[in-house]
């Protein structure tokens, strides 16, 4: 939106003055008031807004130089351009020495002259506005500096903001102001930090009536303009076609034309706005003014936040049962009483002469320093440590330390909590000692149980060997070969069970045995039991990887292998009694497979395992079902039996 510049044009030649007025206003940049002599110009200047003066040099009664000097006495910064039809260097020098900003001859081409004059006026007005804005900025900053000094001395926030708003209005020409959020002022409780501070001059009379409750009117305006309040940047509400009826009603009641709103943040949240009320129309804020006002919003937000923090946070922190501290540039800037009590030093002693790492035992100093460095560098967000320290009386104390970082006035600060956990550590130490004693007792008991379990396995093996020996003696006494074979088969079955107990008490596990070694021992013992010549039967056990089984799976497998090996020795090699037996173990997705193969004569043509009624085959099927496995028989270049079963580690109970 273009701002129209009001100009005062002074020339005793009315026709020429009217022509200049016409062409200047035709640009759309200016409004021009014409005066025919210096006295009329001074009188008009006294009661009207003028941002630039263009004056003829040669005029009766009061020439342009005299008018210029009087204007400079009244308005030192007002732009002034001297016009003359006399192309004289002396006149130009005289005008410039008297304070004229530009000197211009009246030329023949009036349009070019008006364009040149327009350009010069625009430059001068913009320069004057910028200088005025800078001056206002300096005066505003002076007010802010005074307010900041008073607030740092602990003066009341509400009272100081009232004075500051008054001084700002006087500097900027505003007739009133508020800072905060008047919409929420009704929620304040007695003793609360005020949520809005207001100030109004006595110039708010409208039709003989002074707005009695200014804050309520400010609240009405805030509600009416609530659609603008989600903005994070400043905005200006000016009376005119863009205002809503509710907004215009409040503006009319306050007898103002424009309101400037600038957001104010308190802490990390927006508190409200700084609002300035003007009678004149205001379109924009210059950069210097905006900078100065932003300084005021930062000061007000910080001061309000400080007042709020002291009211709602500092007092609770002072009474906290946890030590609280703040560190800036590696020095304490605040500690609460509890932090002082934990170490036994006064707050003054700690702040003046102690550093955080220096409070702890030497073995923990490097850990604390590294943690603080990592947090300050951004490598980690926070730190949680358990450290040791010495109380002032020399006693050892255990502490839990929490540290994190935040920024205050664009500077990094560390904030932390310190908790005395000495009592907890002593209780944990006692519990740890009790736990260690209990652990030792449990290990002793476990060792005793392992010894007892080994003894049980050993005695079971010995008892079963005694039974096998008794059967062997009975076989010697019997002259019947069939009885002798039956007793031998029983002895082999007993040995297959005896062997697993022997393996169990020889291992550290006491629960599982290596299946390959177990099967290898069973086969070698059976071949030995048949008293065969060395080399007649080749017996090999192959395994891809060690397979471990518990006693519940091992005994059935041992009995199955006993039946298979015995059957091969008896029936597979009838011609010369020679051949080979190969057993291979493999694993696939938790399922174990035993492949048994002999190079004998193979199975009978009419053999069907499920229909075969021999004791050995029935025993194999029953034992396979017991371990939830499957078994199959095939014939070709000997006999092949494939046994598959899942590995299940079941706990064996003894009663």
């Amino acid at each position: 939106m273009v701002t129209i510049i009001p100009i005062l044009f002074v020339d005793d030649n009315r026709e020429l003055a009217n022509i200049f007025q016409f062409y200047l206003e035709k640009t759309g940049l200016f409004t021009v008031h014409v005066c025919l002599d210096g006295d009329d110009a001074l009188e008009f200047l006294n009661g009207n807004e003028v941002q630039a003066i263009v004056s003829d040099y040669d005029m009766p009664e009061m020439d342009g130089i005299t008018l210029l000097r009087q204007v400079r006495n009244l308005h030192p910064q007002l732009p002034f351009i001297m016009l003359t039809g006399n192309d004289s260097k002396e006149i130009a020098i005289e005008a410039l020495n008297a304070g004229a900003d530009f000197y211009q001859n009246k030329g023949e081409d009036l349009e070019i002259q008006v364009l040149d004059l327009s350009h010069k006026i625009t430059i001068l007005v913009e320069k004057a506005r910028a200088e005025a804005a800078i001056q206002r900025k300096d005066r505003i900053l002076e007010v802010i500096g005074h307010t900041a000094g008073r607030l740092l001395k602990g003066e009341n926030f509400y009272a100081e903001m009232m004075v500051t708003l008054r001084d700002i209005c006087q500097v900027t020409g505003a007739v009133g102001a508020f800072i905060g959020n008047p919409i929420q002022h009704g929620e304040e409780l007695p003793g609360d930090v005020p949520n809005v501070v207001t100030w109004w001059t006595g110039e708010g009379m409208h039709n003989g009536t002074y707005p009695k409750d200014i804050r309520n009117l400010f609240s009405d305006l805030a509600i009416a303009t609530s659609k603008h309040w989600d903005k994070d940047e400043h905005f200006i509400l000016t009376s005119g076609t863009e205002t809503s009826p509710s907004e215009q009603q409040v503006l009319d009641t306050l007898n103002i034309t424009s309101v400037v709103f600038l957001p104010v943040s308190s802490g990390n949240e927006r508190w409200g706005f700084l609002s300035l009320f003007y009678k004149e129309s205001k379109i924009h804020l210059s950069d210097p003014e905006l900078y100065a006002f932003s300084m005021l919003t930062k000061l007000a937000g910080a001061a309000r936040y400080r007042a709020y923090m002291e009211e709602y946070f500092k007092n609770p922190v002072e009474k906290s049962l946890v030590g609280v501290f703040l560190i800036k540039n590696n020095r304490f800037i605040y500690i609460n009483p509890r932090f002082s009590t934990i170490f036994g030093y006064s707050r003054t002693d700690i702040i003046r002469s102690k550093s955080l790492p220096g409070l702890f035992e030497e073995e923990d100093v490097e850990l604390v320093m590294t943690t603080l460095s990592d947090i300050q560098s951004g490598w980690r967000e926070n730190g949680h440590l358990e450290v040791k320290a010495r109380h002032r009386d020399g006693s050892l104390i255990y502490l839990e330390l929490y540290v994190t970082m935040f920024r205050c006035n664009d500077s990094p600060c560390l904030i932390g909590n310190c908790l005395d956990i000495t009592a907890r550590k002593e209780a944990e130490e006692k519990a740890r000692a009790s736990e260690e004693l209990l652990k030792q007792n449990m290990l002793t008991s476990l060792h005793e149980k392992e010894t007892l379990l080994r003894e049980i396995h050993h005695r079971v093996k010995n008892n079963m060997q005694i039974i096998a020996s008794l059967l062997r003696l009975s076989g010697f006494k019997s002259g019947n070969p069939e009885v002798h074979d039956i007793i031998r088969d029983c002895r082999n079955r007993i040995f297959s069970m005896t062997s697993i107990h022997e393996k169990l008490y020889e291992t550290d596990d006491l629960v599982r045995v290596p299946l390959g070694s177990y099967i290898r021992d069973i086969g070698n013992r059976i071949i030995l039991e048949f008293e065969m010549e060395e080399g007649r039967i080749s017996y090999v056990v192959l395994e891809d990887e060690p397979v471990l089984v518990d006693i519940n799976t091992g005994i059935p497998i041992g009995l199955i292998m006993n039946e298979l090996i015995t059957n091969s020795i008896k029936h597979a090699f009838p011609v010369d009694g020679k051949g080979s037996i190969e057993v291979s173990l493999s694993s696939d997705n938790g399922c174990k497979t035993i492949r048994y193969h002999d190079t004998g004569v193979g199975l009978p043509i009419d053999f069907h395992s499920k229909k075969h009624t021999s004791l050995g085959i029935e025993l194999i099927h029953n034992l396979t079902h017991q371990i939830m496995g499957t078994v199959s028989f095939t014939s070709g270049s000997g006999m092949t039996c494939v046994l598959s079963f899942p590995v299940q580690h079941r706990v064996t109970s003894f009663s």
Side-chain angles (χ1 to χ4, degrees), residues 32-224:
V32 182
H33 180 80
V34 175
C35 289
L36 301 178
D37 58 54
D39 291 330
D40 288 342
L42 292 174
E43 183 178 352
F44 180 83
L45 187 61
N46 186 42
N48 297 276
E49 182 185 5
V50 173
Q51 294 186 11
I53 297 176
V54 180
S55 175
D56 186 24
Y57 170 78
D58 189 11
M59 293 185 297
E61 297 183 5
M62 184 186 295
D63 61 13
I65 296 296
T66 304
L67 175 62
L68 171 59
R69 288 176 177 149
Q70 294 199 34
V71 169
R72 282 288 170 261
N73 290 332
L74 298 172
H75 305 283
Q77 305 300 323
L78 184 62
F80 196 106
I81 299 175
M82 188 71 73
L83 287 178
T84 180
N86 188 351
D87 187 11
S88 171
K89 291 183 180 179
E90 289 75 12
I91 294 176
I93 293 172
E94 182 184 9
L96 294 174
N97 287 337
D101 295 287
F102 281 118
Y103 175 86
Q104 182 168 321
N105 290 321
K106 296 178 181 178
E108 295 181 358
D109 192 335
L110 189 59
E111 290 189 9
I112 294 177
Q113 188 172 356
V114 169
L115 289 175
D116 187 29
L117 186 60
S118 299
H119 180 66
K120 290 177 179 177
I121 293 172
T122 303
I123 291 175
L124 290 175
V125 169
E126 289 179 353
K127 177 183 177 184
R129 287 175 178 173
E131 291 176 349
I134 291 173
Q135 291 177 358
R136 284 194 298 274
K137 179 203 74 172
D138 293 340
R139 292 197 295 270
I140 293 171
L141 292 179
E142 185 178 350
V143 172
I144 295 172
H146 176 75
T147 302
R150 299 275 295 172
L151 290 173
L152 287 174
K153 292 179 181 179
E155 298 294 334
N156 180 268
F157 168 76
Y158 183 81
E160 282 303 313
M161 282 296 107
M162 287 275 289
V163 174
T164 301
L165 291 179
R166 179 201 67 190
D167 293 344
I168 292 297
C169 287
Q170 291 175 352
V171 170
T172 62
V175 296
F178 75 75
I179 193 164
N181 188 348
I183 296 178
Q184 300 178 355
H185 78 271
E187 301 176 4
E188 295 171 16
L189 299 175
D192 277 357
V193 178
N195 207 41
V196 64
V197 183
T198 63
W199 187 84
W200 193 260
T201 68
E203 301 174 358
M205 303 287 287
H206 183 58
N207 296 331
T209 304
Y210 180 79
K212 293 182 179 179
D213 193 341
I214 293 298
R215 196 156 87 162
N216 285 342
L217 286 172
F218 289 169
S219 178
D220 293 341
L221 182 63
I223 294 172

Side-chain angles (χ1 to χ4, degrees), residues 31 57 62 114 128 140 176 184 193 215 243 246 264 279 304 361 363 391 435 476 531 546 601 614-615 637:
T31 59
Y57 170 78
M62 184 186 295
V114 169
I140 293 171
Q184 300 178 355
V193 178
R215 196 156 87 162
T243 56
S246 57
V264 179
K279 285 189 174 183
R304 195 261 182 183
E361 289 286 89
E363 61 191 85
H391 191 273
E435 183 180 347
F476 287 156
E531 299 178 351
V601 297
S614 68
L615 176 61
S637 300

Side-chain angles (χ1 to χ4, degrees), residues 620-633:
I620 290 173
H621 278 295
N622 291 336
L623 292 171
T624 301
H625 178 72
Q626 182 178 335
I627 61 175
M628 294 184 293
T630 60
V631 65
S632 63
F633 295 87

Side-chain angles (χ1 to χ4, degrees), residues 313-382:
F313 291 96
K314 184 177 179 181
N315 291 336
V317 169
E318 287 283 299
K319 298 293 184 181
S320 174
L321 298 179
V322 176
V324 180
F325 60 88
L326 292 176
I327 296 175
K328 186 175 182 180
N329 297 327
N330 298 322
R331 295 178 61 88
F332 287 107
I333 59 175
Y334 169 79
I335 62 170
N336 71 340
R338 178 57 182 166
F339 189 86
S340 173
T341 302
I342 289 174
F343 292 94
Y345 294 95
S346 68
R347 297 171 74 174
T348 303
D349 288 342
I350 293 178
I351 291 176
R352 287 183 177 178
S353 59
K354 301 291 183 181
S355 66
L356 184 65
L359 290 170
F360 304 111
E361 289 286 89
E362 184 176 354
E363 61 191 85
D364 293 325
V365 170
E366 184 176 353
L367 174 62
V368 174
M369 293 180 66
T370 301
T371 302
L372 297 182
S373 177
D374 290 344
I375 295 173
Q376 289 174 319
S377 65
W379 188 81
R380 60 192 295 181
E381 185 177 353
N382 52 60

Side-chain angles (χ1 to χ4, degrees), residues 249-268:
Q249 182 180 358
V250 180
L251 295 179
D252 292 341
T253 303
L254 293 172
N255 193 23
I256 58 175
T257 302
S258 297
V259 187
V260 176
F261 295 92
L262 298 101
V264 179
S265 295
S266 181
N268 293 326

